[in-house]
Amino acid sequence: MLKSKHLMLLLLCTFLVSFSAEAQKKTIEQRVDSVLKLMTLDEKVGQLNQYTSAWATGPVSPEGNKIQEIKEGRLGSLLNVKGFDKTRAMQEVAMQSRLKIPLLFGLDVIHGYKTTFPIPLAEAASWDLGAIEQGARIAAVEAAASGVHWTFAPMVDIARDPRWGRVMEGAGEDTYLGCLIAKARVKGFQGKGLGNTDAVMACAKHFAAYGAAIGGRDYNSVDMSDRTLWEVYLPPFKAAVDAGAATFMNSFNDLNGVPATGNAYLQRDILKGKWGFKGFVVSDWGSIGEMIQHGFVKDNYEAAQAAIKAGSDMDMESRSYIKNLAQLVKDGKISEALIDDAVKRILQKKFELGLFEDPYKFSNPDREKQALNNPEHRAIERDMARKSIVLLKNENNILPLSSGKKIALIGPLAKSKDDMLGFWSVAWPDNSDVISQFEGLEKRVGKGKLLYAKGCGISDSSKADFAEAIAVALKADIVILSMGEKRDMSGEAKSRSNIHIPGIQEELIKAICETGKPVVVLINAGRPLVFNWTADHAPAILYTWWLGSEAGNAIADVLFGDYNPAGKLPMTFPRSEGQVPIYYNYMNTGRPAADNGTFANYRSGYIDMVKSPKFPFGYGLSYTSFKYSDLKLSSSQMDSNGTIDVSFTLTNTGKYAGEEVAQLYLRDQVASVVRPVKELKDFQKLMLKPGESKIIHFTIDKQKLSFYNNKLEWVAEPGTFDLMIGSSSADIRLKDKFELQ
Ligand code: BGC
């Protein structure tokens, strides 16, 4: 009796909660409608208009007086305003407009705000979804406390071409991993939901297929089959919608001839139609106006018409909407209902954020002070940075370093702070909070005990300083070389045709290796680089990306074994730019070449190089070793509603406690369309003590076996599947097969 009373009470509470959530939603919708009714056509168009405030990533339209326009209700959002005082000041101006509709403040909070986190590609190397979510959470806490409502992140573009500088902003080449990371980041940014003062709106970008720009050249065209679009490039966007992403940004590229900004198939049919996305879409910077250069429209009038029809709700910096939308309605070229729909989507978010109740809600000096000076954030960043490091090579276990050795730190990035911040850093140019590698290591070995030489600059062609570097190396027991890219060598508009370590840095590595001293190379970069000589000759290599505020401490932790590296590459590292695009989940040809081996004529290889990459997707070493054994499948057959439990034993066979990312790959042997040679379908990251074993389980279900057939239907076809479990996409330790009936 008591039990059933409790049950009744519980049911009533659940009902009331969901009822009040529903009521709340209704209220917002009704409130949106009531505001819309008060608006003139010009005020509506104003809501669809966004300008930058200060610094810019594209051409800033010089004309006009923004303050006056805000007062006239001709602006819905500003980007690049941050800080309690500035956001408050701008919002005060908006409160002088007739309807007092609050402004939205957007900013590229890509990897941290005041506390700079590792670049997103580096974080992806952690394969640690909880940590990635937490990184985004902290970025949101700091940004929101500074008055920011909206981050233009996460970038969820799949990227298979390391020449494209924006690979640094995403999660790499794999769709499965990319979906999970997209979700983690959206959840991290939006926290417990819009309306909380520590949550910012996420923005999944760049919709769509921007990462497949031909030749890896930024902003370039994309030509892609529908199947590849649906199977490889769209799923992370869908994952972002499912995770509740409040907004989307479209992209600069054309997709099969139609600019994404004017692409109704992408924005109306897929995003707002099939996926039921209720948020709003902002254009990329000036991309509405850029449809003129594409040759898709003749002028800004036509550009505005094409973009609004295609579902672009807000115009970032092209001024096509503010100048033309009202006229387009008056000329009967578009219906006002199209504008109303876009306005409603934007007002809805302003209500959800709570800005109509309190437009200054996010601009709070005390909260800002507290959030931006939080030592806990630094500790979490340091941990994220350690998790992002990938150990590429460790001959004779030269790492971890034992204490008591004389260490020399040499290289152009050894004392760098700016470069640790990486591209898209909100904090830059203020690098005062960054721990350089020199500082991090010196703290570890003792003041005055760390030898140092620069050796050369990042892009130098002069070897003038080599002699000094060699002399310093000769005084040491072990040399750490800090090499790589400058912070603006990977990022937007930073495509490179040559992705070797820049300048004469590899010459310096050779010169130091010739001293006979043991060498550890740190490679700091925003993308996979090519460094074959180093990979073949340096005994130890850590890929340290651009790791953020605590870079130096995190690297010292790994070098000395206070942290055992466990990162795995989220992108394939080529041997040569000539292999690009290169990715692990390619389709087999009718004439496959061996991965390595000598050249065989009339096979799908190169006559001057093996086809395999230098370092494969999913690769990364540890200071310990792992054994994979005892693979068991609960059945060798499943029907389409069934599942197979896959289990195996993972054992730490080395001397150190360490984490391994065990990866599950599948291949559909025969299908109605050619399937990739393998595809990541699951993974688990787990910590094992020396000698410890654990049994890992994976579940195979229909979803993992499905793909888009030629009719774009999501199907799983009966037949045999290869199952591969390993430590990377190329290091498969356990294999079996099963049948889908
Ligand atoms: C980039 C976007 C960015 C926007 C605003 C554009 O150039 O492509 O990713 O969010 O600028 O800064």
Side-chain angles (χ1 to χ4, degrees), residues 57 79 108 152 166 205-206 249 252 284-285 316 424 492:
T57 54
L79 70 149
D108 292 280
F152 303 126
R166 298 196 83 167
K205 69 186 191 184
H206 306 82
M249 185 185 290
F252 290 121
D284 203 345
W285 186 295
M316 182 191 286
W424 287 122
E492 183 177 348

Side-chain angles (χ1 to χ4, degrees), residues 50 52 55-58 79-80 107-108 110 151-153 155 166 169 203 205-206 210 218-219 249-252 282-286 316 424 492:
Q50 185 191 51
T52 187
W55 58 269
T57 54
L79 70 149
N80 298 327
L107 187 73
D108 292 280
I110 308 292
T151 175
F152 303 126
M155 185 188 99
R166 298 196 83 167
E169 260 179 86
C203 180
K205 69 186 191 184
H206 306 82
Y210 182 44
D218 211 358
Y219 316 127
M249 185 185 290
N250 58 34
S251 56
F252 290 121
V282 62
S283 80
D284 203 345
W285 186 295
M316 182 191 286
W424 287 122
E492 183 177 348

Side-chain angles (χ1 to χ4, degrees), residues 269-397:
D269 299 353
I270 299 176
L271 179 62
K272 293 177 176 174
K274 196 171 165 64
W275 294 350
F277 173 67
K278 297 279 180 281
F280 70 88
V281 180
V282 62
S283 80
D284 203 345
W285 186 295
S287 68
I288 296 180
E290 287 174 18
M291 290 197 288
I292 304 168
Q293 279 77 32
H294 276 283
F296 187 69
V297 292
K298 149 168 127 266
D299 50 25
N300 286 91
Y301 180 85
E302 282 191 1
Q305 181 183 10
I308 195 80
K309 277 189 162 170
S312 300
D313 299 306
M314 186 181 274
D315 175 359
M316 182 191 286
E317 263 299 333
S318 96
R319 297 182 189 233
S320 306
Y321 278 6
I322 194 71
K323 288 187 183 153
N324 297 292
L325 280 184
Q327 195 56 48
L328 279 159
V329 174
K330 285 173 202 147
D331 294 347
K333 293 278 166 80
I334 56 169
S335 76
E336 192 164 345
L338 267 187
I339 293 177
D340 286 354
D341 176 60
V343 175
K344 276 163 109 175
R345 288 169 180 269
I346 293 163
L347 293 181
Q348 170 87 21
K349 294 301 162 203
K350 292 185 174 182
F351 271 110
E352 285 176 25
L353 284 163
L355 294 175
F356 278 94
E357 281 83 15
D358 177 5
Y360 309 113
K361 186 173 165 184
F362 290 81
S363 311
N364 178 314
D366 297 331
R367 209 167 43 233
E368 180 176 51
K369 210 163 147 201
Q370 207 239 338
L372 303 194
N373 295 289
N374 186 336
E376 210 189 308
H377 294 182
R378 302 280 302 201
I380 292 170
E381 198 288 302
R382 180 172 179 164
D383 200 40
M384 185 75 242
R386 311 189 301 186
K387 287 184 159 136
S388 306
I389 295 173
V390 184
L391 177 64
L392 294 181
K393 197 174 172 190
N394 192 20
E395 244 169 41
N396 305 322
N397 295 323

Side-chain angles (χ1 to χ4, degrees), residues 438-697:
F438 183 85
E439 288 166 343
L441 271 175
E442 194 187 42
K443 222 184 293 164
R444 196 68 176 60
V445 297
K447 201 146 184 71
K449 291 206 176 132
L450 182 64
L451 301 174
Y452 165 77
K454 186 168 177 196
C456 65
I458 292 176
S459 305
D460 276 3
S461 52
S462 156
K463 295 188 182 171
D465 295 332
F466 276 26
E468 186 209 348
I470 292 168
V472 168
L474 287 170
K475 285 189 211 148
D477 300 319
I478 187 154
V479 183
I480 297 165
L481 289 168
S482 183
M483 305 298 185
E485 286 189 314
K486 201 165 142 53
R487 62 168 286 285
D488 57 3
M489 286 180 167
S490 288
E492 183 177 348
K494 303 295 175 283
S495 296
R496 289 175 60 194
S497 65
N498 171 346
I499 56 168
H500 283 60
I501 300 182
I504 49 156
Q505 295 184 64
E506 233 183 342
E507 295 294 313
L508 179 62
I509 301 176
K510 278 185 204 167
I512 302 295
C513 283
E514 275 163 18
T515 63
K517 295 288 179 181
V519 161
V520 178
V521 183
L522 309 175
I523 302 181
N524 309 273
R527 52 150 67 89
L529 291 178
V530 171
F531 45 93
N532 293 320
W533 192 92
T534 304
D536 293 340
H537 297 91
I541 305 172
L542 286 166
Y543 215 75
T544 55
W545 316 98
W546 292 325
L547 290 179
S549 308
E550 290 281 332
N553 285 332
I555 289 170
D557 289 342
V558 167
L559 285 171
F560 284 94
D562 301 335
Y563 181 87
N564 185 354
K568 301 274 187 182
L569 298 177
M571 271 189 92
T572 302
F573 277 45
R575 297 169 190 273
S576 149
E577 294 85 355
Q579 293 179 309
V580 170
I582 183 168
Y583 44 94
Y584 82 95
N585 47 352
Y586 59 88
M587 310 286 191
N588 227 1
T589 67
R591 296 183 176 195
D595 277 352
N596 292 307
T598 47
F599 170 70
N601 215 358
Y602 299 108
R603 296 259 136 201
S604 178
Y606 297 101
I607 61 172
D608 57 353
M609 177 167 282
V610 294
K611 105 173 187 236
S612 67
K614 194 71 189 168
F615 296 105
F617 172 82
Y619 173 82
L621 302 172
S622 161
Y623 295 152
T624 193
S625 49
F626 297 97
K627 189 175 111 200
Y628 289 65
S629 62
D630 298 327
L631 176 62
K632 290 192 186 88
L633 271 63
S634 59
S635 167
S636 58
Q637 292 180 333
M638 70 178 253
D639 60 38
S640 66
N641 297 320
T643 57
I644 294 179
D645 175 71
V646 177
S647 66
F648 67 98
T649 304
L650 187 72
T651 308
N652 181 343
T653 49
K655 285 194 306 215
Y656 299 92
E659 285 170 296
E660 170 72 326
V661 180
Q663 301 156 40
L664 171 92
Y665 295 90
L666 295 179
R667 178 179 183 178
D668 191 344
Q669 281 190 355
V670 179
S672 59
V673 289
V674 177
R675 301 302 304 148
V677 292
K678 54 174 79 92
E679 290 177 284
L680 181 74
K681 290 293 175 180
D682 213 337
F683 64 88
Q684 269 186 47
K685 182 173 187 175
L686 75 163
M687 167 65 87
L688 291 174
K689 295 193 211 81
E692 192 185 2
S693 291
K694 271 189 192 153
I695 297 176
I696 296 183
H697 290 269

